[in-house]
Amino acid sequence: MPSTELPNLLAATAAPKPGAVAVAEGERLGSVGLPGLTLTVRSRPSVRPGLPPALFVHGLGGSSQNWSALMPLLEDVVDCEAIDLPGFGDSPPPDDGDYSLTGHARAVIRYLDASARGPVHLIGNSLGGAITTRVAAVRPDLVRTLTLVSPALPELRVQRTALPTGLVAVPGVAALFARLTREWTAEQRVRGVMGLCYGDPEKVTPEGFSAAVREMERRLQLPYFWDAMTRTARGIVNAYTLGGQHGLWRQAERVLAPTLLVYGGRDLLVSFRMARRAAAAFRDSRLLTLPDAGHVAMMEDPQSVATGFRELLVDLGELSAPRARIVRDGCAAGDSRTGSGS
């Protein structure tokens, strides 16, 4: 897709407009218009020109803000951009209402084609991990490396703590939940989300909690909030039922890009036991396990995730001066993280 498909690229702004999402210091927020699709892009310019591009993709109910803690730790090695998927963050719903996993993957591909940034270091969390797995499988030319933080790949035995998220996909359940929780405050909702996503919610700073509450308040005012959540959750469930070449595990086996897998030992949504299966499925993989992290390691322990990504670049010869090594099939000295390759 030619770069001329970016006619509505707006000038990035240093501060959010009234009612818009927050923008951290050093970040810029812009909007990219494609036919039938508008994407908000959060960027953090690299410290020097010529660094390779990286694109970050968030999970269900998240936004590009989920990467604001990690991007500053990588701005000296990659040029960082994070998108808001259609219907999430500050991106409006897609015109065709397609919230399927394929629809979201197509949005990422269209952005990469239109911006001519590929191949990129592609980094995804949860739903974003499933989306980026599909992108890497069907468009290897766009992906330099793949980093997956608690990727939402199919599990035969889903954890009981993850069942409520899956139930959102059932027709009528989201509307019922919205009615039953009408009186819940934004603070109550944020505490519930953090309890599910963080290994230790008590580590969230008061400032971080307040920012999350403000964002929750903003999202609840969006008329399409529950529709985007419901249809995307349904898209994940539908993707899990696909077999053959369209199955996510089969697509994981087709990924050619060097892959870093990050799993949290306290993850209540993606089972920690899936880490070894993922390491075996991705042909050129490295495994980073963080025993104290939950579902969003890039927010809970961004330093460890950044170190893991840097070590991936060291392995590929793209970065010198390595930090503490991630070893294969064993434990690093003085470190609880493990690494393995397949």
Side-chain angles (χ1 to χ4, degrees):
M1 191 172 296
S3 59
T4 53
E5 195 176 315
L6 287 176
N8 298 323
L9 181 61
L10 304 182
T13 57
K17 58 184 180 297
V21 297
V23 181
E25 183 178 355
E27 293 181 346
R28 296 185 296 191
L29 207 63
S31 181
V32 175
L34 304 172
L37 183 70
T38 300
L39 297 175
T40 293
V41 181
R42 184 180 302 267
S43 62
R44 190 173 189 94
S46 54
V47 296
R48 62 180 183 276
L51 291 178
L55 184 69
F56 301 79
V57 184
H58 64 81
L60 178 66
S63 75
S64 59
Q65 293 185 71
N66 293 165
W67 304 102
S68 289
L70 180 61
M71 289 196 294
L73 303 179
L74 298 177
E75 63 183 358
D76 62 324
V77 293
V78 291
D79 187 46
C80 298
E81 284 190 349
I83 65 169
D84 287 332
L85 290 169
F88 293 92
D90 209 30
S91 292
D95 288 357
D96 60 5
D98 186 357
Y99 288 104
S100 67
L101 191 71
T102 298
H104 283 306
R106 187 180 299 118
V108 173
I109 290 171
R110 290 183 62 197
Y111 173 69
L112 288 175
D113 276 336
S115 62
R117 279 173 58 84
V120 299
H121 294 288
L122 194 56
I123 304 170
N125 168 238
S126 191
L127 163 68
I131 291 170
T132 53
T133 294
R134 180 156 292 179
V135 172
V138 301
R139 289 293 304 274
D141 59 303
L142 294 177
V143 183
R144 194 178 191 126
T145 66
L146 182 64
T147 296
L148 305 176
V149 181
S150 295
L153 301 174
E155 300 182 37
L156 292 178
R157 291 183 298 141
V158 179
Q159 298 183 103
R160 284 179 294 177
T161 47
L163 290 176
T165 302
L167 286 174
V168 174
V170 178
V173 169
L176 176 62
F177 182 77
R179 289 197 299 271
L180 293 177
T181 62
R182 186 180 297 113
E183 302 303 319
W184 287 14
T185 65
E187 289 86 351
Q188 289 173 308
R189 296 177 189 274
V190 168
R191 290 192 189 280
V193 171
M194 287 185 172
L196 192 60
C197 291
Y198 280 75
D200 183 3
E202 296 302 318
K203 291 184 178 179
V204 178
T205 65
E207 294 78 13
F209 181 79
S210 297
V213 170
R214 290 193 296 272
E215 174 62 10
M216 178 63 73
E217 291 172 340
R218 187 194 70 83
R219 293 187 190 187
L220 290 172
Q221 296 176 359
L222 300 174
Y224 52 83
F225 173 79
W226 285 111
D227 186 56
M229 286 285 291
T230 303
R231 294 194 184 192
T232 299
R234 193 173 301 151
I236 299 173
V237 173
N238 290 341
Y240 282 9
T241 65
L242 294 177
Q245 63 178 348
H246 299 294
L248 281 170
W249 284 113
R250 181 68 63 83
Q251 292 190 322
E253 294 171 353
R254 291 168 50 192
V255 172
L256 301 176
T259 302
L260 172 65
L261 302 163
V262 183
Y263 281 82
R266 296 184 178 181
D267 196 332
L268 298 179
L269 294 173
V270 170
S271 176
F272 187 69
R273 66 176 178 267
M274 301 304 294
R276 290 293 174 180
R277 179 178 180 182
F282 290 88
R283 65 180 68 190
D284 184 7
S285 69
R286 296 129 181 94
L287 175 59
L288 171 61
T289 60
L290 302 174
D292 295 328
H295 191 61
V296 287
M298 72 285 186
M299 301 172 71
E300 299 176 78
D301 191 359
Q303 186 63 64
S304 292
V305 176
T307 298
F309 179 77
R310 288 173 178 272
E311 288 300 318
L312 174 62
L313 299 187
V314 169
D315 285 349
L316 300 177
E318 296 188 16
L319 184 66
S320 58
R323 299 184 180 184
R325 297 291 299 176
I326 299 174
V327 301
R328 293 176 181 244
D329 301 316
C331 296
D335 199 333
S336 61
R337 296 186 296 270
T338 64
S340 67
S342 59

